[in-house]
Amino acid sequence: MNKSLWTFPVPSNCIYSGVKFVHEKTSVTIVYDYYDEENDDKVYNGKIKFKNVIAHRHTSEKFTKFIKGTYDNLCEILESQWKHSLEELSPEWTNVNQLKHYAIYLESYGLYEFVANDYVISEIKRGYRDE
C-alpha cells in the first residue's frame, strides 16, 4: 500500500502550459500552472520541491507502469524495490538520510518519481508559472 501525501489542486488535465522540471544542487522542483474550472478558469501556479534527491526518473504516459494511488496524488511508495536497490549500493549514506520514494502521475505528462528525504509543497499563487 502507498501513503497519499497531497492531492493536485485540480484534475491534472487542467494543467495550463506544461510542467517544468528544475534541478538545483540536491533539490528537484516540479513547477506547474493550471486553470481552475470551478473558479472562472483563472490560472494558478505552484511547485513541489524534493530535497536531498539521490535519484529521480520520469516516464512518459505511453510507457508508464501505473503505481496505485499516484494519479493526481503525491504518494510515498512504502515498499519500494527501487529505493531498496539504492540502499544496497550505499547503506551507510541512505540510512543516515532517511530516504523515501515519492511518486506522482500527471495526465499527459507521465509519472514523476524521486528518492529523496523530504518534500515541500509551495503555496498556490494566482497567475502563470514562474519561468
Side-chain angles (χ1 to χ4, degrees):
M1 179 171 230
N2 299 324
K3 180 179 177 184
S4 181
L5 302 170
W6 175 80
T7 300
F8 203 77
V10 297
S12 58
N13 63 352
C14 292
I15 290 176
Y16 184 76
S17 61
V19 175
K20 185 177 179 182
F21 190 81
V22 181
H23 193 262
E24 303 171 273
K25 297 184 182 180
T26 62
S27 296
V28 177
T29 305
I30 296 175
V31 183
Y32 55 86
D33 56 11
Y34 61 89
Y35 60 93
D36 188 343
E37 293 175 323
E38 308 264 325
N39 195 6
D40 296 325
D41 287 338
K42 292 177 183 165
V43 176
Y44 297 87
N45 71 80
K47 301 174 185 178
I48 309 170
K49 182 176 188 173
F50 298 90
K51 297 180 176 183
N52 297 315
V53 176
I54 64 158
H56 59 82
R57 58 188 177 192
H58 171 253
T59 311
S60 166
E61 77 173 341
K62 299 291 184 198
F63 297 94
T64 297
K65 183 177 179 183
F66 186 72
I67 299 175
K68 187 176 181 178
T70 62
Y71 190 90
D72 289 351
N73 287 299
L74 178 64
C75 289
E76 178 184 346
I77 310 306
L78 297 176
E79 295 185 25
S80 169
Q81 291 179 354
W82 183 34
K83 184 185 97 163
H84 180 70
S85 67
L86 293 169
E87 289 171 335
E88 286 179 337
L89 292 172
S90 184
E92 306 82 22
W93 196 88
T94 54
N95 289 336
V96 167
N97 286 286
Q98 300 176 347
L99 298 173
K100 297 177 180 175
H101 178 180
Y102 300 102
I104 187 168
Y105 178 87
L106 301 172
E107 187 173 324
S108 299
Y109 298 95
L111 180 66
Y112 295 86
E113 297 178 82
F114 305 87
V115 175
N117 77 342
D118 203 3
Y119 72 97
V120 175
I121 305 293
S122 73
E123 181 179 334
I124 299 295
K125 298 178 184 174
R126 179 123 186 249
Y128 302 98
R129 72 178 191 210
D130 300 332
E131 288 295 324

